[in-house]
Amino acid sequence: MVRTIDICGKDLEDYRTIVPRATFDVETALHDVVGVCDAVRDRGEEALREFSERFDHVVPPHLRVPTDRLDQALADLDPQLRAAFEESIRRRRGVCEAVELETSSHQVELAAGAHVRQRIVPVQRVGLYVPGGLAPLASSVIMNVVAAQVAGVESIAVSSPPQAEFDGLPHPNILALCRLLGVDEVYAVGGAQAIAMFAHGVAGLCRHVDMVTGPGNIYVVAAKRHVRGIVGIDSEAGPTEIAILADETANPRFVAADLMSQAEHDPMAAAVLVTTSPELADQVRRELDPMIENTTHRDRIRTSLGSQQSAIVLVRDLEQGIAVVDDYAAEHLEIHTANAAQVAARIHNAGAIFVGEWSPVSLGDYSAGSTHVLPTGGAARHSSGLTVRSFMRAMHVIDYDADGLTQVADGVERFAHSENLPGHANAISVRREARKGDTHD
């Protein structure tokens, strides 16, 4: 089922040409969503209802979920599931507050009367999108809301697709988590139209936001690309992916289970095993077949594992394996090797690293305390996952007095003239002249 790519005899400067990846053509989808976003901008709620019927096959009685339905969803929540939700929130909030939060303001005195201070300020209003397609990702509520709350975001709105089986409302677990987290602005709007609603605002329904975050399908991603600049976005997340770097010490059953768990997300999900051991590769294949046969989403998993984006990559040694996974820059990278922590410390590019056989990606998806909104498609080479800092901005505050400006005035004027911007120089000169006048008085 899973193809094998043997690169033991190859030394490449860039292994990205070898390791498989899913095709994710956002530009093609962008053509489809521009009309949707523009219609929401121009026709507001009328367009939202039209697209809800066309794409979700249900028109919610209320596009904004009434508060009593949030209360009901929380009251109806299975107590054991609620306990799991609360533990996940507790751990995610703990990591946000202890590790990710950076709110301190730093000031430097460059000379007498010359001060520059950095203020860290939160985004004021955020729209959080929660998918509801193949899987209603209630966990995304936690990942987005908790980080935004710890950052100090004043206004948080959540949107998730309406579901015909739930009277046109989002999945009850999503509603219950919103209520549990104290978010009462929730919309039964999905897809590109939800992103447009957040970006442009809809009169009488939803005020526009400053930033849109959260994963979604290719149309959601395309819509985020289209409105970027009108609002900030977290990322353009593509299909989920896992890479596992393993040697002969790895447990093949654990490896197989973790490959399968990511393949379960989507037929386009990528599952890549990079290993120094042909024997382990064979053992993993043998474990996969019965495991897949006995699970619910077997067709989806087989499609994912049998497609171009998934493979077992045989490498010569651990050094080559590290080079391969660094070039691949996986959303999720598991290390199943001897001295796993030491190997993990050598990795430069990954959305998140899961160290050793007792740290599976599934743990990070729910209750590790880490974020599960991570860069995909190789973007981990330059981008980070969604954290508290994603919702915060650095603002410089420049505070010079007359003496502080005078000390560098000559240099600033020369600099401005060298760039042929005499008006810039004049903004300095008029102040120098004014100060001379004050001194003469």
Side-chain angles (χ1 to χ4, degrees):
M1 180 201 316
V2 187
R3 63 193 175 114
T4 298
I5 302 173
D6 189 340
I7 61 170
C8 293
K10 298 180 180 179
D11 289 299
L12 302 176
E13 290 187 4
D14 186 355
Y15 287 101
R16 287 178 294 179
T17 59
I18 296 295
V19 183
R21 183 149 262 145
T23 301
F24 196 63
D25 189 356
V26 178
E27 282 299 323
T28 298
L30 185 62
H31 178 269
D32 296 329
V33 305
V34 167
V36 172
C37 292
D38 290 351
V40 172
R41 178 196 62 198
D42 298 337
R43 296 194 287 117
E45 192 167 336
E46 176 191 1
L48 289 177
R49 292 186 177 279
E50 175 187 318
F51 295 132
S52 184
E53 184 171 22
R54 184 190 306 178
F55 300 132
D56 299 310
H57 312 297
V58 60
V59 180
H62 306 281
L63 291 175
R64 178 165 175 171
V65 178
T67 302
D68 62 345
R69 296 303 295 266
L70 298 176
D71 291 335
Q72 180 183 335
L74 183 56
D76 292 344
L77 192 62
D78 176 80
Q80 291 182 320
L81 182 57
R82 176 170 179 161
F85 283 175
E86 289 175 334
E87 181 63 14
S88 179
I89 292 168
R90 186 188 73 81
R91 293 189 178 213
R92 183 73 193 106
R93 197 177 297 279
V95 172
C96 285
E97 292 175 345
V99 178
E100 298 174 9
L101 185 59
E102 176 56 71
T103 59
S104 58
S105 297
H106 303 285
Q107 178 170 296
V108 59
E109 185 178 54
L110 301 166
H115 300 94
V116 175
R117 179 163 56 96
Q118 177 168 281
R119 283 178 57 201
I120 306 296
V121 294
V123 174
Q124 288 184 288
R125 178 165 164 79
V126 175
L128 311 177
Y129 186 76
V130 180
L134 294 178
L137 297 183
S139 53
S140 287
V141 178
I142 296 173
M143 298 299 160
N144 284 270
V145 171
V146 171
Q149 288 177 334
V150 173
V153 175
E154 294 177 1
S155 177
I156 298 174
V158 171
S159 191
S160 190
Q163 309 284 330
E165 61 184 304
F166 301 116
D167 302 322
L169 296 178
H171 194 283
N173 288 349
I174 292 172
L175 300 183
L177 264 174
C178 286
R179 175 48 90 205
L180 198 57
L181 287 161
V183 176
D184 61 8
E185 187 180 353
V186 184
Y187 297 94
V189 180
Q193 58 269 29
I195 306 305
M197 175 187 71
F198 281 147
H200 298 296
V202 171
L205 178 69
C206 177
R207 186 163 55 90
H208 71 81
V209 304
D210 302 310
M211 182 178 183
V212 175
T213 71
N217 64 22
I218 193 168
Y219 299 104
V220 170
V221 174
K224 288 167 75 175
R225 177 179 290 187
H226 180 57
V227 301
R228 187 173 193 167
I230 300 172
V231 293
I233 67 170
D234 52 348
S235 65
E236 295 183 10
T240 190
E241 58 198 25
I242 183 175
I244 300 177
L245 178 60
D247 62 14
E248 69 282 354
T249 68
N251 183 319
R253 187 165 180 78
F254 290 179
V255 172
D258 295 352
L259 291 172
M260 190 184 83
S261 72
Q262 286 305 111
E264 182 178 45
H265 273 284
D266 189 301
M268 292 181 65
V272 177
L273 169 61
V274 179
T275 181
T276 58
S277 171
E279 293 77 18
L280 176 71
D282 291 340
Q283 291 170 338
V284 168
R285 288 180 189 279
R286 288 196 293 270
E287 292 284 354
L288 274 171
D289 282 336
M291 200 177 289
I292 294 170
E293 191 57 36
N294 290 318
T295 195
T296 302
H297 304 298
R298 61 183 67 87
D299 292 338
R300 188 189 307 168
I301 293 167
R302 290 190 186 280
T303 299
S304 166
L305 294 179
S307 299
Q308 66 173 15
Q309 69 269 17
S310 299
I312 296 174
V313 181
L314 298 177
V315 292
R316 179 176 56 252
D317 52 30
L318 196 57
E319 294 298 319
Q320 188 180 35
I322 291 172
V324 169
V325 297
D326 250 347
D327 280 350
Y328 184 61
E331 177 188 16
H332 310 93
L333 174 63
E334 291 188 358
I335 308 294
H336 292 241
T337 66
N339 303 313
Q342 295 176 22
V343 173
R346 298 177 59 192
I347 302 298
H348 293 89
N349 303 324
I353 303 175
F354 298 79
V355 182
E357 62 182 13
W358 300 108
S359 303
V361 168
S362 296
L363 175 65
D365 283 342
Y366 301 111
S367 297
S370 56
T371 182
H372 82 193
V373 184
L374 300 166
T376 62
R381 287 189 297 274
H382 53 74
S383 299
S384 305
L386 186 78
T387 68
V388 172
R389 296 186 186 186
S390 303
F391 297 100
M392 307 187 82
R393 299 167 293 123
M395 181 189 304
H396 283 176
V397 179
I398 298 88
D399 185 2
Y400 274 52
D401 63 17
D403 288 337
L405 176 62
T406 299
Q407 292 177 61
V408 291
D410 284 338
V412 173
E413 289 176 348
R414 290 192 183 94
F415 213 144
H417 284 301
S418 76
E419 294 187 344
N420 195 27
L421 295 170
H424 284 57
N426 183 62
I428 305 297
S429 301
V430 296
R431 287 169 169 78
R432 299 179 77 178
E433 292 166 4
R435 192 174 188 220
K436 286 178 182 178
D438 291 342
T439 301
H440 292 157
D441 292 342

PDB file of all heavy atoms in Angstrom, residues 303-332:
ATOM      1  N   THR A 303      -6.533   5.554   1.026  1.00  0.00           N
ATOM      2  CA  THR A 303      -6.296   6.551  -0.021  1.00  0.00           C
ATOM      3  C   THR A 303      -5.100   7.425   0.337  1.00  0.00           C
ATOM      4  O   THR A 303      -4.227   7.685  -0.502  1.00  0.00           O
ATOM      5  CB  THR A 303      -7.538   7.436  -0.216  1.00  0.00           C
ATOM      6  OG1 THR A 303      -8.633   6.618  -0.619  1.00  0.00           O
ATOM      7  CG2 THR A 303      -7.293   8.503  -1.274  1.00  0.00           C
ATOM      8  N   SER A 304      -5.061   7.879   1.578  1.00  0.00           N
ATOM      9  CA  SER A 304      -3.955   8.731   2.025  1.00  0.00           C
ATOM     10  C   SER A 304      -2.613   8.012   1.929  1.00  0.00           C
ATOM     11  O   SER A 304      -1.652   8.538   1.354  1.00  0.00           O
ATOM     12  CB  SER A 304      -4.198   9.184   3.470  1.00  0.00           C
ATOM     13  OG  SER A 304      -3.024   9.725   4.031  1.00  0.00           O
ATOM     14  N   LEU A 305      -2.546   6.810   2.472  1.00  0.00           N
ATOM     15  CA  LEU A 305      -1.278   6.086   2.507  1.00  0.00           C
ATOM     16  C   LEU A 305      -0.848   5.609   1.126  1.00  0.00           C
ATOM     17  O   LEU A 305       0.344   5.431   0.869  1.00  0.00           O
ATOM     18  CB  LEU A 305      -1.382   4.897   3.457  1.00  0.00           C
ATOM     19  CG  LEU A 305      -1.576   5.241   4.942  1.00  0.00           C
ATOM     20  CD1 LEU A 305      -1.677   3.960   5.761  1.00  0.00           C
ATOM     21  CD2 LEU A 305      -0.433   6.099   5.458  1.00  0.00           C
ATOM     22  N   GLY A 306      -1.814   5.407   0.230  1.00  0.00           N
ATOM     23  CA  GLY A 306      -1.475   4.923  -1.103  1.00  0.00           C
ATOM     24  C   GLY A 306      -1.232   6.013  -2.119  1.00  0.00           C
ATOM     25  O   GLY A 306      -0.900   5.722  -3.272  1.00  0.00           O
ATOM     26  N   SER A 307      -1.378   7.271  -1.726  1.00  0.00           N
ATOM     27  CA  SER A 307      -1.221   8.387  -2.661  1.00  0.00           C
ATOM     28  C   SER A 307       0.198   8.928  -2.669  1.00  0.00           C
ATOM     29  O   SER A 307       1.043   8.526  -1.861  1.00  0.00           O
ATOM     30  CB  SER A 307      -2.222   9.497  -2.312  1.00  0.00           C
ATOM     31  OG  SER A 307      -3.548   9.027  -2.425  1.00  0.00           O
ATOM     32  N   GLN A 308       0.436   9.888  -3.566  1.00  0.00           N
ATOM     33  CA  GLN A 308       1.782  10.386  -3.806  1.00  0.00           C
ATOM     34  C   GLN A 308       2.419  11.059  -2.592  1.00  0.00           C
ATOM     35  O   GLN A 308       3.653  11.126  -2.477  1.00  0.00           O
ATOM     36  CB  GLN A 308       1.763  11.398  -4.952  1.00  0.00           C
ATOM     37  CG  GLN A 308       0.981  12.679  -4.634  1.00  0.00           C
ATOM     38  CD  GLN A 308       1.110  13.718  -5.714  1.00  0.00           C
ATOM     39  OE1 GLN A 308       1.549  13.411  -6.809  1.00  0.00           O
ATOM     40  NE2 GLN A 308       0.729  14.951  -5.407  1.00  0.00           N
ATOM     41  N   GLN A 309       1.585  11.553  -1.666  1.00  0.00           N
ATOM     42  CA  GLN A 309       2.135  12.320  -0.552  1.00  0.00           C
ATOM     43  C   GLN A 309       2.670  11.452   0.580  1.00  0.00           C
ATOM     44  O   GLN A 309       3.250  11.977   1.529  1.00  0.00           O
ATOM     45  CB  GLN A 309       1.080  13.281   0.005  1.00  0.00           C
ATOM     46  CG  GLN A 309      -0.078  12.610   0.735  1.00  0.00           C
ATOM     47  CD  GLN A 309      -1.246  12.291  -0.175  1.00  0.00           C
ATOM     48  OE1 GLN A 309      -1.100  12.274  -1.391  1.00  0.00           O
ATOM     49  NE2 GLN A 309      -2.410  12.049   0.399  1.00  0.00           N
ATOM     50  N   SER A 310       2.472  10.148   0.500  1.00  0.00           N
ATOM     51  CA  SER A 310       2.893   9.254   1.578  1.00  0.00           C
ATOM     52  C   SER A 310       3.910   8.243   1.058  1.00  0.00           C
ATOM     53  O   SER A 310       3.832   7.812  -0.090  1.00  0.00           O
ATOM     54  CB  SER A 310       1.691   8.518   2.172  1.00  0.00           C
ATOM     55  OG  SER A 310       0.766   9.427   2.713  1.00  0.00           O
ATOM     56  N   ALA A 311       4.841   7.861   1.924  1.00  0.00           N
ATOM     57  CA  ALA A 311       5.875   6.895   1.511  1.00  0.00           C
ATOM     58  C   ALA A 311       6.698   6.464   2.709  1.00  0.00           C
ATOM     59  O   ALA A 311       6.691   7.110   3.768  1.00  0.00           O
ATOM     60  CB  ALA A 311       6.789   7.511   0.443  1.00  0.00           C
ATOM     61  N   ILE A 312       7.398   5.373   2.521  1.00  0.00           N
ATOM     62  CA  ILE A 312       8.471   4.967   3.427  1.00  0.00           C
ATOM     63  C   ILE A 312       9.784   5.286   2.725  1.00  0.00           C
ATOM     64  O   ILE A 312      10.027   4.828   1.613  1.00  0.00           O
ATOM     65  CB  ILE A 312       8.393   3.471   3.767  1.00  0.00           C
ATOM     66  CG1 ILE A 312       7.097   3.177   4.540  1.00  0.00           C
ATOM     67  CG2 ILE A 312       9.613   3.042   4.581  1.00  0.00           C
ATOM     68  CD1 ILE A 312       6.858   1.704   4.801  1.00  0.00           C
ATOM     69  N   VAL A 313      10.602   6.105   3.357  1.00  0.00           N
ATOM     70  CA  VAL A 313      11.865   6.547   2.768  1.00  0.00           C
ATOM     71  C   VAL A 313      13.008   5.847   3.500  1.00  0.00           C
ATOM     72  O   VAL A 313      13.199   6.034   4.705  1.00  0.00           O
ATOM     73  CB  VAL A 313      12.022   8.081   2.872  1.00  0.00           C
ATOM     74  CG1 VAL A 313      13.331   8.523   2.226  1.00  0.00           C
ATOM     75  CG2 VAL A 313      10.835   8.789   2.216  1.00  0.00           C
ATOM     76  N   LEU A 314      13.759   5.020   2.753  1.00  0.00           N
ATOM     77  CA  LEU A 314      14.912   4.319   3.334  1.00  0.00           C
ATOM     78  C   LEU A 314      16.157   5.173   3.194  1.00  0.00           C
ATOM     79  O   LEU A 314      16.486   5.622   2.088  1.00  0.00           O
ATOM     80  CB  LEU A 314      15.117   2.977   2.633  1.00  0.00           C
ATOM     81  CG  LEU A 314      13.968   1.964   2.756  1.00  0.00           C
ATOM     82  CD1 LEU A 314      14.278   0.711   1.962  1.00  0.00           C
ATOM     83  CD2 LEU A 314      13.709   1.619   4.221  1.00  0.00           C
ATOM     84  N   VAL A 315      16.826   5.410   4.321  1.00  0.00           N
ATOM     85  CA  VAL A 315      18.042   6.230   4.309  1.00  0.00           C
ATOM     86  C   VAL A 315      19.237   5.403   4.765  1.00  0.00           C
ATOM     87  O   VAL A 315      19.095   4.381   5.435  1.00  0.00           O
ATOM     88  CB  VAL A 315      17.878   7.470   5.211  1.00  0.00           C
ATOM     89  CG1 VAL A 315      16.856   8.426   4.627  1.00  0.00           C
ATOM     90  CG2 VAL A 315      17.493   7.076   6.641  1.00  0.00           C
ATOM     91  N   ARG A 316      20.404   5.896   4.377  1.00  0.00           N
ATOM     92  CA  ARG A 316      21.652   5.180   4.640  1.00  0.00           C
ATOM     93  C   ARG A 316      21.966   5.107   6.131  1.00  0.00           C
ATOM     94  O   ARG A 316      22.381   4.078   6.658  1.00  0.00           O
ATOM     95  CB  ARG A 316      22.784   5.885   3.882  1.00  0.00           C
ATOM     96  CG  ARG A 316      24.156   5.288   4.059  1.00  0.00           C
ATOM     97  CD  ARG A 316      25.185   6.013   3.185  1.00  0.00           C
ATOM     98  NE  ARG A 316      25.222   7.452   3.453  1.00  0.00           N
ATOM     99  CZ  ARG A 316      24.759   8.381   2.618  1.00  0.00           C
ATOM    100  NH1 ARG A 316      24.182   8.039   1.472  1.00  0.00           N
ATOM    101  NH2 ARG A 316      24.834   9.664   2.916  1.00  0.00           N
ATOM    102  N   ASP A 317      21.795   6.229   6.822  1.00  0.00           N
ATOM    103  CA  ASP A 317      22.121   6.312   8.242  1.00  0.00           C
ATOM    104  C   ASP A 317      21.332   7.454   8.869  1.00  0.00           C
ATOM    105  O   ASP A 317      20.572   8.163   8.192  1.00  0.00           O
ATOM    106  CB  ASP A 317      23.634   6.506   8.455  1.00  0.00           C
ATOM    107  CG  ASP A 317      24.197   7.667   7.637  1.00  0.00           C
ATOM    108  OD1 ASP A 317      23.447   8.643   7.379  1.00  0.00           O
ATOM    109  OD2 ASP A 317      25.377   7.618   7.255  1.00  0.00           O
ATOM    110  N   LEU A 318      21.517   7.628  10.158  1.00  0.00           N
ATOM    111  CA  LEU A 318      20.760   8.644  10.876  1.00  0.00           C
ATOM    112  C   LEU A 318      21.101  10.047  10.384  1.00  0.00           C
ATOM    113  O   LEU A 318      20.230  10.933  10.360  1.00  0.00           O
ATOM    114  CB  LEU A 318      21.021   8.522  12.384  1.00  0.00           C
ATOM    115  CG  LEU A 318      20.030   9.248  13.302  1.00  0.00           C
ATOM    116  CD1 LEU A 318      18.609   8.790  13.047  1.00  0.00           C
ATOM    117  CD2 LEU A 318      20.417   9.035  14.766  1.00  0.00           C
ATOM    118  N   GLU A 319      22.339  10.278   9.995  1.00  0.00           N
ATOM    119  CA  GLU A 319      22.723  11.600   9.487  1.00  0.00           C
ATOM    120  C   GLU A 319      21.903  11.965   8.258  1.00  0.00           C
ATOM    121  O   GLU A 319      21.394  13.085   8.135  1.00  0.00           O
ATOM    122  CB  GLU A 319      24.221  11.615   9.147  1.00  0.00           C
ATOM    123  CG  GLU A 319      25.143  11.470  10.341  1.00  0.00           C
ATOM    124  CD  GLU A 319      24.981  12.621  11.319  1.00  0.00           C
ATOM    125  OE1 GLU A 319      24.851  13.776  10.870  1.00  0.00           O
ATOM    126  OE2 GLU A 319      24.973  12.364  12.543  1.00  0.00           O
ATOM    127  N   GLN A 320      21.778  11.018   7.342  1.00  0.00           N
ATOM    128  CA  GLN A 320      20.976  11.286   6.150  1.00  0.00           C
ATOM    129  C   GLN A 320      19.502  11.443   6.521  1.00  0.00           C
ATOM    130  O   GLN A 320      18.794  12.287   5.952  1.00  0.00           O
ATOM    131  CB  GLN A 320      21.140  10.161   5.128  1.00  0.00           C
ATOM    132  CG  GLN A 320      20.487  10.486   3.783  1.00  0.00           C
ATOM    133  CD  GLN A 320      20.639   9.369   2.773  1.00  0.00           C
ATOM    134  OE1 GLN A 320      20.621   8.178   3.127  1.00  0.00           O
ATOM    135  NE2 GLN A 320      20.788   9.725   1.502  1.00  0.00           N
ATOM    136  N   GLY A 321      19.045  10.658   7.476  1.00  0.00           N
ATOM    137  CA  GLY A 321      17.662  10.769   7.920  1.00  0.00           C
ATOM    138  C   GLY A 321      17.347  12.144   8.485  1.00  0.00           C
ATOM    139  O   GLY A 321      16.291  12.724   8.197  1.00  0.00           O
ATOM    140  N   ILE A 322      18.253  12.688   9.284  1.00  0.00           N
ATOM    141  CA  ILE A 322      18.065  14.027   9.839  1.00  0.00           C
ATOM    142  C   ILE A 322      18.018  15.058   8.717  1.00  0.00           C
ATOM    143  O   ILE A 322      17.183  15.974   8.729  1.00  0.00           O
ATOM    144  CB  ILE A 322      19.181  14.354  10.857  1.00  0.00           C
ATOM    145  CG1 ILE A 322      19.013  13.484  12.110  1.00  0.00           C
ATOM    146  CG2 ILE A 322      19.178  15.836  11.217  1.00  0.00           C
ATOM    147  CD1 ILE A 322      20.158  13.590  13.095  1.00  0.00           C
ATOM    148  N   ALA A 323      18.895  14.907   7.734  1.00  0.00           N
ATOM    149  CA  ALA A 323      18.894  15.838   6.602  1.00  0.00           C
ATOM    150  C   ALA A 323      17.576  15.774   5.834  1.00  0.00           C
ATOM    151  O   ALA A 323      17.030  16.807   5.413  1.00  0.00           O
ATOM    152  CB  ALA A 323      20.063  15.519   5.675  1.00  0.00           C
ATOM    153  N   VAL A 324      17.047  14.569   5.672  1.00  0.00           N
ATOM    154  CA  VAL A 324      15.796  14.402   4.934  1.00  0.00           C
ATOM    155  C   VAL A 324      14.637  15.072   5.672  1.00  0.00           C
ATOM    156  O   VAL A 324      13.862  15.841   5.078  1.00  0.00           O
ATOM    157  CB  VAL A 324      15.491  12.908   4.696  1.00  0.00           C
ATOM    158  CG1 VAL A 324      14.061  12.721   4.178  1.00  0.00           C
ATOM    159  CG2 VAL A 324      16.491  12.322   3.702  1.00  0.00           C
ATOM    160  N   VAL A 325      14.483  14.793   6.972  1.00  0.00           N
ATOM    161  CA  VAL A 325      13.338  15.372   7.691  1.00  0.00           C
ATOM    162  C   VAL A 325      13.502  16.880   7.871  1.00  0.00           C
ATOM    163  O   VAL A 325      12.502  17.614   7.919  1.00  0.00           O
ATOM    164  CB  VAL A 325      13.103  14.672   9.059  1.00  0.00           C
ATOM    165  CG1 VAL A 325      12.748  13.212   8.839  1.00  0.00           C
ATOM    166  CG2 VAL A 325      14.285  14.822   9.989  1.00  0.00           C
ATOM    167  N   ASP A 326      14.740  17.374   7.942  1.00  0.00           N
ATOM    168  CA  ASP A 326      14.946  18.815   8.002  1.00  0.00           C
ATOM    169  C   ASP A 326      14.504  19.483   6.707  1.00  0.00           C
ATOM    170  O   ASP A 326      13.885  20.553   6.717  1.00  0.00           O
ATOM    171  CB  ASP A 326      16.415  19.138   8.280  1.00  0.00           C
ATOM    172  CG  ASP A 326      16.628  19.722   9.672  1.00  0.00           C
ATOM    173  OD1 ASP A 326      15.637  20.102  10.321  1.00  0.00           O
ATOM    174  OD2 ASP A 326      17.789  19.813  10.109  1.00  0.00           O
ATOM    175  N   ASP A 327      14.810  18.868   5.586  1.00  0.00           N
ATOM    176  CA  ASP A 327      14.384  19.431   4.301  1.00  0.00           C
ATOM    177  C   ASP A 327      12.872  19.311   4.128  1.00  0.00           C
ATOM    178  O   ASP A 327      12.236  20.195   3.546  1.00  0.00           O
ATOM    179  CB  ASP A 327      15.099  18.729   3.138  1.00  0.00           C
ATOM    180  CG  ASP A 327      16.503  19.245   2.927  1.00  0.00           C
ATOM    181  OD1 ASP A 327      16.869  20.260   3.546  1.00  0.00           O
ATOM    182  OD2 ASP A 327      17.248  18.640   2.126  1.00  0.00           O
ATOM    183  N   TYR A 328      12.293  18.236   4.624  1.00  0.00           N
ATOM    184  CA  TYR A 328      10.851  18.044   4.508  1.00  0.00           C
ATOM    185  C   TYR A 328      10.079  19.043   5.384  1.00  0.00           C
ATOM    186  O   TYR A 328       9.020  19.523   5.008  1.00  0.00           O
ATOM    187  CB  TYR A 328      10.497  16.608   4.903  1.00  0.00           C
ATOM    188  CG  TYR A 328       9.048  16.246   4.747  1.00  0.00           C
ATOM    189  CD1 TYR A 328       8.415  16.297   3.505  1.00  0.00           C
ATOM    190  CD2 TYR A 328       8.286  15.843   5.838  1.00  0.00           C
ATOM    191  CE1 TYR A 328       7.076  15.954   3.358  1.00  0.00           C
ATOM    192  CE2 TYR A 328       6.955  15.491   5.706  1.00  0.00           C
ATOM    193  CZ  TYR A 328       6.355  15.543   4.463  1.00  0.00           C
ATOM    194  OH  TYR A 328       5.026  15.212   4.333  1.00  0.00           O
ATOM    195  N   ALA A 329      10.630  19.366   6.560  1.00  0.00           N
ATOM    196  CA  ALA A 329      10.017  20.349   7.469  1.00  0.00           C
ATOM    197  C   ALA A 329       8.557  20.018   7.753  1.00  0.00           C
ATOM    198  O   ALA A 329       7.638  20.779   7.451  1.00  0.00           O
ATOM    199  CB  ALA A 329      10.146  21.762   6.896  1.00  0.00           C
ATOM    200  N   ALA A 330       8.341  18.878   8.365  1.00  0.00           N
ATOM    201  CA  ALA A 330       6.983  18.368   8.589  1.00  0.00           C
ATOM    202  C   ALA A 330       6.198  19.202   9.585  1.00  0.00           C
ATOM    203  O   ALA A 330       6.763  19.806  10.502  1.00  0.00           O
ATOM    204  CB  ALA A 330       7.051  16.925   9.080  1.00  0.00           C
ATOM    205  N   GLU A 331       4.897  19.199   9.412  1.00  0.00           N
ATOM    206  CA  GLU A 331       4.008  19.789  10.408  1.00  0.00           C
ATOM    207  C   GLU A 331       4.229  19.099  11.757  1.00  0.00           C
ATOM    208  O   GLU A 331       4.405  19.747  12.789  1.00  0.00           O
ATOM    209  CB  GLU A 331       2.562  19.622   9.948  1.00  0.00           C
ATOM    210  CG  GLU A 331       1.525  20.132  10.936  1.00  0.00           C
ATOM    211  CD  GLU A 331       0.110  19.757  10.521  1.00  0.00           C
ATOM    212  OE1 GLU A 331      -0.064  18.867   9.658  1.00  0.00           O
ATOM    213  OE2 GLU A 331      -0.833  20.345  11.088  1.00  0.00           O
ATOM    214  N   HIS A 332       4.174  17.771  11.757  1.00  0.00           N
ATOM    215  CA  HIS A 332       4.436  16.968  12.957  1.00  0.00           C
ATOM    216  C   HIS A 332       5.622  16.051  12.664  1.00  0.00           C
ATOM    217  O   HIS A 332       5.603  15.334  11.670  1.00  0.00           O
ATOM    218  CB  HIS A 332       3.246  16.080  13.315  1.00  0.00           C
ATOM    219  CG  HIS A 332       1.931  16.772  13.365  1.00  0.00           C
ATOM    220  ND1 HIS A 332       1.068  16.826  12.270  1.00  0.00           N
ATOM    221  CD2 HIS A 332       1.303  17.440  14.362  1.00  0.00           C
ATOM    222  CE1 HIS A 332      -0.023  17.484  12.609  1.00  0.00           C
ATOM    223  NE2 HIS A 332       0.086  17.878  13.864  1.00  0.00           N
TER     224      HIS A 332
END
